[in-house]
Amino acid sequence: MSIKKRITMRDIASAAGVSQPTVSLVLNGSQSIKLAEATKKKVLDAAQKLGYEHKRASHSKGRPKKIALVINGLNHYDPFIEAVNAAREAAWQQDRVLVTFDYSNDKLLAAQIQNEIEQGEYDGLIYASSMTRALSPNISIDAPTVLLNCYCKDHADLPSILPADKLGAYKVTEHLLAQGYHRIGMICGEKWMDASTDRLNGYRQALINNDIIPDEALVKEGNWSLKEAHQQTLALLDLPNPPEAIFIGSDYMAIGCYQAIAERGLSIPGDIALVSFDNQQVASEFTPGLTSVELPYSDMGRQSVETLIELVNKQPLMSPTIKVEGDVIVRESSVRQ
């Protein structure tokens, strides 16, 4: 099952040219920080134009219902924090408090967290991973459970919320083909990771479906590294028949790609077009702006709560696996001049 993304605060931030925290302050009517009226208007106008609906839930008094979200390692700079924030917001809209636990590979701490959840009258558990992967949850409780950004091969019946990375890669490669680019290179992440293999497979499938045989000489492994992406971009440019466009596996790696192209005195997209994946804020701040597939963490976090509530209410699920699509955000880097 695949679901279409909704308008998020990050979409509004990009449209209004402000940060996501600023959007949150405006939409939630915060009085703690004084914002310029012009900034507020930009945010509200962008929200209205995009059709964003900010729901305010009514909340019961007394002891709150709780949902546990358990994750193995997360820092404040990880883009996956967006999923956690969206889950918290969605839980509160459902009149529930999301309590987040991070056990960071500590088995004793994991055991203590499990004991806390079992004793704490939680409605259910969201078990999350900041990296899309197969795993066996180290914490298990006798309550509804949803997996966020991960899946369990031994328990395929456990609902899993995953990014539709293959589809996103397919769509952004199709975008390049529609622009008239046919010799398309790719710089992927580490090939053992689900995100890398899914994005690589989506790229290849788009080429095959357009009667183009993938050329493995055009595929380089960038290991999610800025430095590696820089070197691999130079390697692609040095080929006897270099690519017309490059699909980079992440916005972070794209920094190295931009640097390499500038070093060679080439222009984007005049000499070579670029697209990427993740649609982090940096994508809109490149010159020229970088076309990128949105990594739908906010929608995934929200969907994990909604799925858990369905389980709590004993509602049947259409499918145990829900893949969330991210839009292709087209900017100047890939539009043929």
Side-chain angles (χ1 to χ4, degrees):
M1 175 185 176
S2 178
I3 68 169
K4 185 66 177 174
K5 73 175 289 295
R6 305 176 207 185
I7 301 301
T8 67
M9 290 188 183
R10 188 171 66 177
D11 296 324
I12 298 170
S14 179
V18 300
S19 68
Q20 190 170 323
T22 296
V23 173
S24 179
L25 288 170
V26 172
L27 296 183
N28 288 307
S30 174
Q31 302 299 316
S32 61
I33 297 177
K34 182 67 174 177
L35 295 173
E37 290 302 319
T39 299
K40 293 180 183 179
K41 186 176 186 306
K42 279 201 304 183
V43 171
L44 294 174
D45 287 349
Q48 183 178 21
K49 184 177 180 180
L50 293 171
Y52 178 78
E53 295 182 12
H54 187 56
K55 299 178 181 178
R56 292 185 179 274
S58 58
H59 300 290
S60 57
K61 296 181 180 180
R63 192 168 184 174
K65 295 181 179 179
K66 295 183 290 184
I67 294 173
L69 186 148
V70 178
I71 190 166
N72 183 13
L74 183 67
N75 63 63
H76 292 294
Y77 301 102
D78 192 321
F80 190 71
I81 197 72
E82 293 180 16
V84 177
N85 289 335
R88 172 188 48 74
E89 181 181 290
W92 188 232
Q93 288 175 353
Q94 297 280 352
D95 197 25
R96 288 168 169 81
V97 173
L98 184 79
V99 183
T100 305
F101 300 92
D102 183 351
Y103 65 92
S104 299
N105 287 314
D106 187 320
K107 292 183 179 180
L108 179 58
L109 177 57
Q112 292 295 334
I113 290 172
Q114 175 156 338
N115 182 64
E116 159 64 22
I117 295 172
E118 289 174 341
Q119 301 300 319
E121 300 179 0
Y122 287 80
D123 273 358
L125 167 68
I126 299 172
Y127 194 91
S129 170
S130 61
M131 177 178 69
T132 307
R133 57 177 169 164
L135 51 71
S136 296
N138 289 317
I139 293 174
S140 177
I141 63 172
D142 187 20
T145 299
V146 172
L147 303 181
L148 174 57
N149 205 34
C150 55
Y151 54 95
C152 183
K153 294 180 178 178
D154 297 331
H155 297 281
D157 57 320
L158 279 177
S160 300
I161 315 298
L162 300 167
D165 276 3
K166 182 177 179 180
L167 179 59
Y170 183 96
K171 290 193 301 184
V172 80
T173 306
E174 282 256 291
H175 161 71
L176 287 174
L177 292 165
Q179 291 292 313
Y181 301 107
H182 295 94
R183 187 163 174 78
I184 302 170
M186 181 172 186
I187 301 175
C188 58
E190 295 170 282
K191 290 184 179 179
W192 60 268
M193 294 179 63
D194 283 19
S196 294
T197 56
D198 285 349
R199 295 172 193 183
L200 181 58
N201 288 337
Y203 153 84
R204 285 173 172 156
Q205 192 63 55
L207 294 178
I208 291 169
N209 286 4
N210 284 272
D211 299 323
I212 298 173
I213 299 175
D215 183 349
E216 293 307 309
L218 295 179
V219 177
K220 304 293 182 181
E221 191 168 346
N223 299 321
W224 309 119
S225 161
L226 186 157
K227 183 177 180 179
E228 284 287 324
H230 175 269
Q231 294 174 342
Q232 297 293 14
T233 301
L234 293 176
L236 287 173
L237 296 176
D238 287 338
L239 290 173
N241 186 13
E244 304 168 286
I246 301 175
F247 173 18
I248 312 144
S250 76
D251 295 341
Y252 177 71
M253 287 199 297
I255 298 172
C257 191
Y258 269 71
Q259 291 173 343
I261 291 170
E263 287 174 14
R264 290 295 170 86
L266 301 175
S267 67
I268 304 169
D271 295 309
I272 188 163
L274 297 179
V275 298
S276 184
F277 213 108
D278 293 350
N279 193 40
Q280 295 303 300
Q281 186 169 345
V282 67
S284 64
E285 296 178 352
F286 279 109
T287 302
L290 176 62
T291 293
S292 188
V293 182
E294 186 169 33
L295 192 56
Y297 280 152
S298 292
D299 290 331
M300 289 167 59
R302 189 176 300 109
Q303 184 67 35
S304 70
V305 171
E306 293 176 357
T307 302
L308 185 65
I309 297 301
E310 290 178 0
L311 293 177
V312 170
N313 294 332
K314 301 187 184 305
Q315 297 174 344
L317 301 180
M318 293 181 61
S319 170
T321 300
I322 298 174
K323 291 202 171 184
V324 184
E325 296 181 32
D327 285 342
V328 177
I329 310 301
V330 177
R331 299 187 180 93
E332 298 89 347
S333 70
S334 63
V335 178
R336 188 178 282 280
Q337 297 175 326

